[in-house]
Amino acid sequence: MPFKQKLHAHGWFILVNALIAIAIASRYFAFLPEFPSDLLGVTFILAGTLGQMTLLAVVIGGLSIPALLLPKGARNVAQALIASIGLAVLFIDTIVYAQYRFHINAVVMELVLSGQVVSFPLVTWLTVIGAVVALLAGQWWLIRWLEAGAPIRTLKLGRKFALLTFAALLVTNVIHIWAAAHAYQPVTMVKRYLPLFYPATANGFMEKQGWLDKEAIAQQKAMSIKPKSDLNYPLNPLEFKEVNQPTNIMLITVDSWRADTLNADNTPYMWQYAQEGVIFQDHIATGNATRTGIFGLFYGMPGTYWHGFLANHRSPVFVDRLQQLDYQLGLFSAAKLTSPEFDQTVFANVPNIRVTSEGNSPSARDKRLTDDWAEWYDNRDKKLPTFSFLFYDAPHGYDFPDDFAHKYEPMIPRVDYLELDNNSDQEKFFNRYKTSVRYVDTQVKRVLDKLKEAGDLENTVVIITGDHSQEMNDNKQNFWGHNGNFTRAQTQVPFVMLGAGIDKQALTQNASYTTSHEDVVPTLMKNYLGVSSEIPDYSTGVDLFGDKVERDWMMTSSYSAYGIMYDDTIIEVNGAGQSEIYDSTYRPKKDATMNYQYVQEALGKISRFRK
């Protein structure tokens, strides 16, 4: 076949795949909180989808142009393979976006493959591979059909479609240039729904023409996250008073733990121990994912500081103080402490940290970390105080041993995220999750029983909590898991304090208010570690043992955004400072106005420790 004919067939191959990509991308429309109601917004999203998907199809098709020089068999296989991979990744991206509201990128792939966002079972991987094989066969048939002189090739559509695409791209970029210059969020917020979509901006030109809304731009810029700025932490050198007999500290954290599963039925052992201390009734994690949740626990500040502390490899003053007082650090985690990079942040100054636990499943690693902690605790130097950090992972993977009793039925046999949608059976899904939580309860029992039997509970303050919560499509918005929104379904976690220094009666009032992970560090530093400095010097939290902890609003964050929560309202701000207002079920509040007082207070928090 002459090269010109092969190129013509390949052009039609790209055109057909562009239409397929547009059809796949239409799935993103379902995830909009609400479809744009203004003409500009509707035009932008429709033109943007046509232009962007066609552009992606052209780029993917361009990668296989060198294959046109190959013999027919090899040529068609290469064309089909490259196109199949492109369309498969796009379709998988729609599935990821449906549950988490972010697109596949290098960071997300690292988190997924490490199990930090979601652990995919073998059946999911097999399903994906099977679908790609079927897609490959379809693409191979398509290019063979086109090269064989398909009747569709006689239509004179190529030039017309190219002109339509050019017009769509032009309209998309012109609209976005104007919207960016005026901080017009019905357009600028919509662009995040399409992958690899970066329409043009020209704020410099617009400013010269007098067409820039400087006030709106400045306000948006002020709300943005400054990821890698220098730190001013702590604000002043910390001051201390002598600690004669340091108290042992234990932090038990359960990955993806919902607040409503700490109860006598689901977690009987932890519940029984909790009765000896205080259960805080409305505790909000500093993040809806592990990175920002654990960060807030150890630093006592919003997770928006993560990137800055990572870039500077700055450990928290809490861990610094533990080391200063010669605490023995027993760090036992089922998940890796290197992804996210806790070895370069929280434990940056801790030598030879135990990175993870051995085991071929989350529940096996949970058992192993409990065994290893018990051995470490038996062999510790009893003359020195201890800090124990136990990080359990089974609920994150909905996992438990095969022989573990199934108390909750009916239950799904496994979690397959490819099958989840807004109509999936919530009860069966939840029952499997609750069983995994119940398994962790048995492991925590071993730890607390050991403390009690050794007579050490009286000299140990124990904190039991979660890094973030785990949604089960609570609000019927097709969210399964975490890192998708800032509702309580993904941010409210159990929080229990018991043991040494816990005055149950004195803490009753504070336990009824809304508390935060930000409050853990100042409470421990002030009441157990002899820190006499003012709390705002090193934390944005409050002392839970102090006066009322009443708050008008609460803050939480994700990998690239933060949320301001109050009453029935959530103000969600992305990394660029663009914001949307939702109700507590993550539905847009159409007539809501921005509470700028709370926004200004939040900005004060996220900038306090920056130079």
Side-chain angles (χ1 to χ4, degrees):
M1 176 184 289
F3 184 81
K4 186 175 181 180
Q5 292 185 20
K6 289 188 289 186
L7 189 61
H8 185 260
H10 189 66
W12 272 98
F13 186 62
I14 292 174
L15 191 153
V16 172
N17 280 317
L19 296 175
I20 295 173
I22 291 171
I24 293 174
S26 66
R27 286 169 49 88
Y28 293 113
F29 297 166
F31 315 138
L32 289 165
E34 61 178 357
F35 199 81
S37 56
D38 63 308
L39 180 60
L40 206 61
V42 172
T43 303
F44 179 77
I45 195 169
L46 294 179
T49 302
L50 189 154
Q52 179 70 359
M53 292 303 107
T54 302
L55 195 60
L56 288 178
V58 169
V59 170
I60 293 169
L63 295 176
S64 57
I65 286 180
L68 300 182
L69 301 174
L70 299 174
K72 183 177 180 62
R75 176 177 74 246
N76 293 159
V77 169
Q79 289 169 295
L81 180 62
I82 292 173
S84 297
I85 292 174
L87 291 177
V89 170
L90 178 63
F91 184 75
I92 292 172
D93 185 71
T94 66
I95 296 173
V96 171
Y97 199 87
Q99 296 177 28
Y100 304 105
R101 300 308 194 269
F102 53 71
H103 296 288
I104 297 172
N105 55 45
V107 175
V108 171
M109 286 302 298
E110 179 185 350
L111 292 169
V112 169
L113 293 175
S114 68
Q116 292 302 317
V117 174
V118 58
S119 300
F120 290 111
L122 178 61
V123 66
T124 301
W125 292 111
L126 293 176
T127 302
V128 170
I129 293 171
V132 171
V133 170
L135 180 59
L136 178 61
Q139 289 288 313
W140 181 84
W141 174 86
L142 175 61
I143 189 58
R144 300 279 288 196
W145 176 65
L146 290 169
E147 286 194 354
I152 194 175
R153 288 179 56 187
T154 62
L155 301 175
K156 305 294 184 180
L157 294 180
R159 185 172 298 178
K160 295 177 182 177
F161 192 78
L163 289 173
L164 178 63
T165 301
F166 177 78
L169 290 171
L170 181 62
V171 168
T172 299
N173 285 281
V174 168
I175 290 176
H176 191 265
I177 286 173
W178 179 88
H182 291 79
Y184 186 69
Q185 295 190 163
V187 167
T188 57
M189 290 297 289
V190 162
K191 69 178 181 181
R192 66 188 175 108
Y193 288 88
L194 293 176
L196 301 174
F197 189 40
Y198 306 107
T201 60
N203 284 4
F205 170 79
M206 297 292 279
E207 184 176 9
K208 289 181 181 178
Q209 304 303 316
W211 299 336
L212 187 75
D213 188 335
K214 295 182 179 180
E215 183 178 349
I217 296 298
Q219 187 178 79
Q220 181 173 285
K221 186 176 181 180
M223 295 173 67
S224 65
I225 297 174
K226 301 168 182 59
K228 295 183 179 180
S229 60
D230 289 336
L231 302 175
N232 183 22
Y233 169 81
L235 297 183
N236 297 294
L238 296 188
E239 298 178 356
F240 309 101
K241 57 186 178 183
E242 187 175 355
V243 181
N244 295 319
Q245 292 183 317
T247 302
N248 295 332
I249 301 172
M250 173 173 283
L251 177 57
I252 298 174
T253 310
V254 182
D255 199 334
S256 309
W257 193 16
R258 291 174 59 101
D260 57 5
T261 58
L262 173 67
N263 54 57
D265 178 72
N266 199 173
T267 52
Y269 303 121
M270 284 191 282
W271 180 259
Q272 183 178 357
Y273 272 103
Q275 305 313 302
E276 302 174 16
V278 180
I279 301 174
F280 290 77
Q281 299 164 21
D282 187 29
H283 189 84
I284 304 299
T286 44
N288 59 9
T290 297
R291 176 181 295 178
T292 46
I294 294 296
F295 180 89
L297 274 175
F298 279 87
Y299 286 88
M301 63 180 68
T304 51
Y305 284 99
W306 165 267
H307 295 287
F309 277 80
L310 175 61
N312 288 276
H313 288 198
R314 181 64 172 93
S315 65
V317 293
F318 169 62
V319 175
D320 294 345
R321 179 58 174 165
L322 292 174
Q323 293 176 305
Q324 186 180 23
L325 292 173
D326 291 327
Y327 271 78
Q328 300 169 90
L329 306 182
L331 312 176
F332 299 88
S333 174
K336 291 182 179 179
L337 293 179
T338 55
S339 181
E341 303 90 335
F342 297 128
D343 61 325
Q344 300 176 48
T345 50
V346 176
F347 307 119
N349 292 338
V350 180
N352 304 317
I353 66 169
R354 180 183 183 276
V355 173
T356 187
S357 302
E358 294 182 3
N360 57 10
S361 68
S363 60
R365 291 189 287 271
D366 283 353
K367 182 179 184 303
R368 182 59 182 266
L369 83 82
T370 308
D371 294 340
D372 290 353
W373 172 84
E375 181 180 356
W376 170 83
Y377 197 74
D378 285 339
N379 295 322
R380 75 193 189 283
D381 185 342
K382 295 180 175 60
K383 297 179 182 178
L384 297 176
T386 62
F387 171 75
S388 300
F389 173 57
L390 289 81
F391 190 16
Y392 290 96
D393 194 44
H396 179 260
Y398 304 88
D399 185 55
F400 45 84
D402 293 337
D403 59 355
F404 188 68
H406 295 187
K407 180 176 182 179
Y408 306 105
E409 297 287 353
M411 179 197 304
I412 56 174
R414 61 182 179 276
V415 175
D416 186 349
Y417 280 87
L418 295 180
E419 295 180 353
L420 290 175
D421 57 36
N422 216 28
N423 298 314
S424 296
D425 192 317
Q426 184 186 47
E427 180 185 7
K428 292 180 180 179
F429 192 90
F430 202 2
N431 282 344
R432 182 173 186 88
Y433 170 82
K434 289 196 295 183
T435 304
S436 67
V437 172
R438 186 166 165 263
Y439 172 72
V440 169
D441 185 56
T442 65
Q443 298 305 304
V444 175
K445 175 182 184 298
R446 294 173 55 201
V447 173
L448 297 180
D449 283 354
K450 188 173 188 65
L451 286 183
K452 191 170 186 178
E453 291 165 5
D456 292 335
L457 195 56
E458 292 78 11
N459 189 42
T460 303
V461 56
V462 179
I463 296 173
I464 307 173
T465 189
D467 58 344
H468 56 80
S469 190
Q470 190 82 338
E471 184 168 357
M472 309 286 162
N473 198 22
D474 294 56
N475 299 309
K476 302 303 177 184
Q477 298 273 55
N478 197 37
F479 284 100
W480 302 85
H482 55 277
N483 199 46
N485 61 57
F486 297 124
T487 63
R488 274 174 161 74
Q490 295 193 29
T491 59
Q492 185 180 356
V493 295
F495 189 77
V496 176
M497 297 187 74
L498 63 106
I502 304 302
D503 187 333
K504 185 174 182 179
Q505 184 174 0
L507 290 176
T508 298
Q509 185 179 43
N510 279 353
S512 66
Y513 295 119
T514 301
T515 55
S516 167
H517 277 0
E518 295 177 28
D519 304 332
V520 175
V521 162
T523 301
L524 294 176
M525 293 281 271
K526 183 174 181 178
N527 298 283
Y528 295 93
L529 300 181
V531 177
S532 56
S533 298
E534 295 295 322
I535 289 174
D537 277 353
Y538 59 89
S539 170
T540 56
V542 300
D543 176 13
L544 293 175
F545 293 0
D547 296 331
K548 292 181 181 180
V549 294
E550 291 180 279
R551 287 180 164 99
D552 295 324
W553 58 276
M554 180 63 67
M555 186 173 181
T556 188
S557 61
S558 66
Y559 295 128
S560 59
Y562 61 92
I564 301 169
M565 308 163 60
Y566 59 95
D567 300 331
D568 184 42
T569 302
I570 301 171
I571 300 175
E572 181 177 305
V573 185
N574 68 16
Q578 298 164 336
S579 61
E580 292 185 271
I581 304 177
Y582 300 95
D583 66 15
S584 59
T585 66
Y586 203 65
R587 288 171 171 81
K589 297 186 75 170
K590 297 180 180 180
D591 301 323
T593 57
M594 187 75 69
N595 188 317
Y596 286 106
Q597 177 185 341
Y598 295 169
V599 170
Q600 287 300 320
E601 291 173 4
L603 292 177
K605 271 194 174 188
I606 67 177
S607 63
R608 181 184 300 175
F609 300 107
R610 300 188 190 279
K611 289 184 179 179

